[in-house]
């Protein structure tokens, strides 16, 4: 028998579900759903560089400040980076399930026709084999770029990544390495992926010395970080939020460029609260921050895109928290064992005397990723807004 409090909680949850369903139904006009699924607002984000001038003004793009730009969405920028890698490195090869015809997200479309099927080719349906093959190629001096079709299916290759690729240089006393290996994997929720197509597994790999992990949030980052990963002397995992493949559109430099791995970016300056996220979560946080500053006049929130999970930029986050005295971290992965816990622990150690409130986390729930209630699982704008208000008013 449920207690009165439990019955009331269930009633409130069902009521909120019904309200969302009615809202979605009433807003439907028979047109296709937005490209960004349930996470709207990407197209109007201030974090998106919609003009050539905005794109080339970024100090990290100084090397290509005279470049032309081209309007690209996220997957087109990935494709452009892969084409650049193949054109500039004759030892580079791309392989994975279905990449020969473009892949399920079209990131490799046209590459086999342009560069040949011996450089862009399909692999059997075996993630362990894909990564094992990549390790072997990298060990003999090639530049393998492996695709895991969905991040959720990387786990059969877990041993190959954490026990072989990550430790290859260390166990050989730097006599051999597989630093040329890059592993791409679409990740995060898209609105209908459920338990096998929506996960965010970055924390599993962040526990492993010898790897690097990067999380691009936009087309410019998708190109610059992917090229940096391919050319980095360490095995790198590139996590690509699939909800952004078509929804995030920017003016991207057509010239060859890289962005620095391991460096966070302050995308909005503030003085009262530091908010940290990565990947698609940045756009959710942007909306939450805008609403919070509207509701609380005078509130000033700093927003940091972590960008790299391993190594992560402690110094940038520490500097910000020492200024604001408050920290909120948001990510789609479950709360327990999520990478936000590592950030919270490190910042508590470094900034304890400056903290004005407990460090807060807004994360996915500690359950398998649901289907029907996917929108309630991810840390959306309302959950982030509620936590911002709680931390500020602590």
């Amino acid at each position: 028998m449920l207690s009165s409090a439990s019955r009331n909680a269930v009633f409130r949850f069902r009521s909120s579900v019904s309200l969302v369903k009615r809202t979605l139904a009433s807003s439907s006009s028979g047109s296709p759903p937005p490209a960004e699924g349930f996470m709207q607002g990407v197209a109007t984000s201030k974090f998106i560089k919609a003009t050539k001038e905005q794109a080339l003004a970024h100090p990290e793009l100084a090397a290509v400040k005279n470049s032309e730009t081209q309007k690209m969405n996220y997957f087109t920028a990935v494709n452009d980076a892969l084409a650049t890698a193949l054109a500039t490195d004759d030892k580079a090869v791309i392989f994975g399930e279905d990449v020969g015809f473009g892949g399920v997200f079209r990131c490799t479309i046209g590459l086999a026709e342009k560069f040949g099927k011996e450089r862009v080719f399909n692999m059997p349906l075996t993630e362990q084999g894909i990564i094992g093959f990549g390790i072997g190629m990298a060990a003999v001096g090639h530049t393998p770029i492996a695709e895991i079709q969905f991040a959720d299916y990387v786990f059969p290759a877990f041993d190959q990544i954490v026990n072989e690729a990550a430790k290859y240089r260390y166990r050989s006393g730097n006599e051999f390495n597989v630093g040329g290996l890059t592993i791409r994997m679409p990740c995060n929720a898209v609105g209908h992926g459920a338990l096998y197509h929506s996960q965010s597994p970055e924390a599993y790999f962040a526990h492993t010395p010898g790897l690097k992990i990067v999380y691009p949030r936009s087309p410019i980052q998708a190109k610059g970080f992917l090229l940096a990963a391919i050319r980095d002397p360490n095995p790198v995992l590139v996590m690509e939020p699939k909800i952004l493949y078509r929804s995030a559109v920017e003016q991207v430099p057509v010239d060859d460029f890289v962005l620095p791995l391991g460096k966070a970016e302050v995308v909005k300056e503030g003085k009262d609260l530091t908010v940290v996220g990565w990947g698609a979560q940045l756009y959710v946080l942007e909306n939450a921050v805008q609403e919070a500053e509207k509701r609380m006049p005078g509130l000033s929130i700093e927003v940091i895109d972590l960008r790299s999970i391993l190594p992560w930029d402690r110094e940038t986050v520490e500097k910000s928290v020492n200024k604001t005295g408050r920290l909120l971290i948001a990510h789609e992965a479950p709360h327990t064992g999520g990478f936000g816990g590592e950030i919270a622990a490190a910042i508590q150690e470094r900034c304890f005397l400056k903290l004005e409130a407990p460090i807060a986390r807004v994360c996915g729930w500690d359950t398998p990723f649901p289907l029907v209630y996917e929108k309630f699982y991810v840390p959306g704008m309302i959950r982030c807004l509620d936590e911002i208000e709680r931390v500020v008013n602590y």
Side-chain angles (χ1 to χ4, degrees), residues 1 9 13 73 78 84 135 137 144 178 185 196 202 222 250 260 278-279 287 294 307 322 329 336 339 354 380:
M1 179 75 67
F13 176 72
N73 62 23
V78 171
T84 301
I135 290 170
M137 291 203 73
V178 293
M185 57 181 93
Y196 286 137
E202 64 268 13
E250 280 188 314
W278 48 88
N287 291 329
K294 194 180 301 181
R307 304 199 300 183
N322 277 331
I329 308 151
T336 300
F339 194 71
K354 294 293 183 70

Side-chain angles (χ1 to χ4, degrees), residues 313-323 347 350-351:
D313 188 353
R314 291 171 177 81
E315 289 71 24
T316 294
V317 179
E318 178 184 359
K319 179 180 178 182
S320 177
V321 175
N322 277 331
K323 175 178 64 174
I347 296 304
R350 292 165 175 248
C351 305

Side-chain angles (χ1 to χ4, degrees), residues 74-139:
Y74 196 112
F75 87 80
T76 307
V78 171
N79 183 275
D80 188 49
L82 293 173
T84 301
L86 291 171
T88 57
D89 182 355
D90 58 8
K91 292 186 176 181
V93 293
I94 298 171
F95 51 89
E97 296 159 9
D98 302 323
V99 301
F101 68 80
V104 294
F105 296 108
R106 320 311 291 159
C107 291
T108 55
I109 192 167
L111 297 181
E113 291 77 8
K114 183 175 182 179
F115 294 98
K117 294 184 178 181
E118 71 281 358
R119 298 188 69 194
V120 183
F121 50 88
N122 293 335
M123 290 286 284
L125 194 95
T126 166
E127 286 76 17
Q128 183 179 17
I130 291 171
I131 302 305
F133 178 77
I135 290 170
M137 291 203 73

Side-chain angles (χ1 to χ4, degrees), residues 30-48:
S31 58
E36 61 265 36
F38 58 77
M39 192 188 66
Q40 301 181 30
V42 179
T44 57
S45 170
K46 294 181 180 178
F47 302 156
I48 289 290

Side-chain angles (χ1 to χ4, degrees), residues 5 28 33 43 69 92 117 123 145 193 200 217 221 224 262 307 325 329 338 359 373 379:
S28 174
T69 63
K117 294 184 178 181
M123 290 286 284
I145 307 165
S200 306
R217 75 164 189 269
Q221 289 191 6
R307 304 199 300 183
I329 308 151
I359 296 172
Y373 298 127

Side-chain angles (χ1 to χ4, degrees), residues 202-280:
E202 64 268 13
Y204 293 105
F205 299 103
H207 192 63
T208 308
L211 300 175
K212 289 189 176 182
I213 306 169
V214 65
Y215 238 110
R217 75 164 189 269
S218 68
I220 290 174
Q221 289 191 6
K223 179 176 179 178
F225 281 130
L226 182 51
L227 284 170
I230 291 168
R231 294 162 182 171
D232 193 88
N234 300 279
V236 184
L237 278 60
V238 181
M239 315 290 288
E240 298 171 359
K242 54 185 171 288
I243 200 170
L244 301 178
Y245 274 140
R246 288 169 174 77
S247 61
V249 181
E250 280 188 314
Q251 289 291 332
V252 180
V254 298
D255 289 349
D256 188 342
F257 69 95
V258 297
L259 294 173
L261 303 181
K263 180 65 177 173
E265 179 185 9
V266 178
V267 292
K268 177 185 178 299
E269 293 189 353
K271 61 180 177 59
D272 300 315
L273 168 66
T274 299
V275 171
V276 175
W278 48 88

